[in-house]
Every structure is written in C-alpha cells, then in structure tokens.
Amino acid sequence: MQVDRFDPTPLYQQVARAIREQIQSGSLKPRDPIPSESELVADHGVARETARRAVALLREEGWVVTLPQRGTFVADRPGRTGGS
Amino acid sequence: MQVDRFDPTPLYQQVARAIREQIQSGSLKPRDPIPSESELVADHGVARETARRAVALLREEGWVVTLPQRGTFVADRPGRTGGS
DNA sequence: GAGAATTTGTACGTATGTATG
DNA sequence: ACATACATACGTACAAATTCT
C-alpha cells in the first residue's frame, strides 16, 4: 500500500501506522517477521531511510523487536515497552 | 575535535560521547544550548545525518532536550530520563 | 568451506518544509 | 526578507552478520 503524499502526516508515520494496524488486527502475530526494509521500500514506495524510521518508531513503541542481520519481528506482547 | 575514523566506534557515538563529556565535566551546563547541527558537522567533520544521530542518542539518554525550531539544550538533570 | 543473497547498521550528500528570531 | 535550526525525505554506498545454495 502506497503512502499518501497529499496527507501532511510524515511518510514514516504512515508506514508505521500501516504495520501497526496489521499487528493490531492480528494479520501479523507475535514473533512473525515484519517486512524487511527492502520490502517496505517496494511496498510503500518510500526511501529506505523512511522505512527505517517507521521501524524505529514501532520499536520505540514496543510493537516490534529488531535482531541485527536477522530481521524485525512482532514483539511477544506488542505495544508494551516492557519497561518498569 | 575531529572524530577518529580508525576507531571502530560508530562516528555518531563518538560525537555523542564528546558532547556527553562536556556536560559531565560542566563545560556545558543545564539549559545551555549544545552546538547546532551545522556546528557539529563543522567541528567534528561528519555529515549532518551523523550529527543528528548523535543528538538523538543523547536525547534518548536524557542528556539533552530538543525544542523544535529552537535548538537542543542540556537537560535540567542531565543523564536522567525523567521516567518512572 | 566457498560464494551469493539477504538484512540491518553506518555514513555521506542533497533537497525541501516549517517555525523561530 | 533573511538567517538559523530542526524535521522529513530521497538517493547512494559500503560493512557486518546471517542465511541459503
């Protein structure tokens, strides 16, 4: 799904929202891999940096966990930071 | 102070460390502005993206606070995230 | 073990937008 | 109007670790 370039919402937030909704709806389940950066670039029509920011945002929000050189996966308890 | 390109430590971490040490040593005090992105680029000989990452890291660590379109400043209680 | 492909990490350069002074 | 400063976005390149053939 391409982003909407007329929507003033930053593209990386649009991409993040699309993934977040897939997690919330259950089409992406805990421990499932989310699309790789390259796939996000192709699927959404954005630059890699934009895709990376989207994933970074989801990571900060606790939706996903990234394993370097492995991939990024849906967290066991998505949406929870795990912090104190 | 230029970064050390033979040091395997990522450049953005080297820049962040340099700023962090200035805060810890007291040469940068709470509410002082830290150098702008352009100044970090000039001072350390790195790209803007690298300077931005350094600042982002310090922000995550609680050393600085960024006020959009204002600048980035040393936190009131540097090194504390303010979280629970 | 060798080699290619994949995936994330780091880094540089550039451009435009938005808000402030 | 102009300069400053951060935010977003695109493109490119190479490194490092893992995975697959």
Side-chain angles (χ1 to χ4, degrees):
Chain A
M1 201 263 270
Q2 303 286 309
V3 295
D4 179 1
R5 286 167 191 278
F6 292 95
D7 184 339
T9 305
L11 301 187
Y12 78 94
Q13 291 179 18
Q14 293 186 41
V15 174
R17 187 186 53 196
I19 301 169
R20 196 186 301 111
E21 286 174 355
Q22 289 184 55
I23 297 173
Q24 292 174 316
S25 74
S27 53
L28 281 175
K29 299 175 180 53
R31 305 210 177 188
D32 278 351
I34 71 170
S36 70
E37 293 174 0
S38 297
E39 287 170 329
L40 292 177
V41 166
D43 293 351
H44 297 272
V46 297
R48 189 186 166 202
E49 175 167 311
T50 304
R52 283 180 62 73
R53 285 199 191 189
V55 174
L57 179 57
L58 294 172
R59 199 161 45 228
E60 289 166 17
E61 293 175 345
W63 294 103
V64 302
V65 175
T66 295
L67 307 180
Q69 280 72 54
R70 289 292 189 94
T72 298
F73 306 85
V74 178
D76 277 337
R77 303 206 310 298
R80 310 195 171 276
T81 58
S84 74
Chain B
M1 199 265 270
Q2 304 286 311
V3 294
D4 179 2
R5 287 166 192 278
F6 292 95
D7 185 339
T9 305
L11 300 187
Y12 77 94
Q13 291 180 17
Q14 292 187 42
V15 174
R17 186 185 54 196
I19 301 169
R20 196 187 300 112
E21 287 173 354
Q22 289 183 57
I23 297 174
Q24 291 173 317
S25 74
S27 53
L28 280 175
K29 299 175 180 51
R31 306 210 176 187
D32 278 353
I34 70 170
S36 70
E37 291 178 2
S38 296
E39 288 171 326
L40 292 176
V41 166
D43 293 352
H44 298 273
V46 297
R48 272 153 194 78
E49 174 80 7
T50 303
R52 283 182 61 73
R53 285 198 193 188
V55 174
L57 179 57
L58 294 172
R59 197 161 45 229
E60 290 166 17
E61 294 174 345
W63 293 104
V64 302
V65 175
T66 295
L67 306 180
Q69 278 73 52
R70 288 292 192 89
T72 298
F73 306 85
V74 178
D76 278 337
R77 303 205 311 297
R80 310 194 170 275
T81 56
S84 73

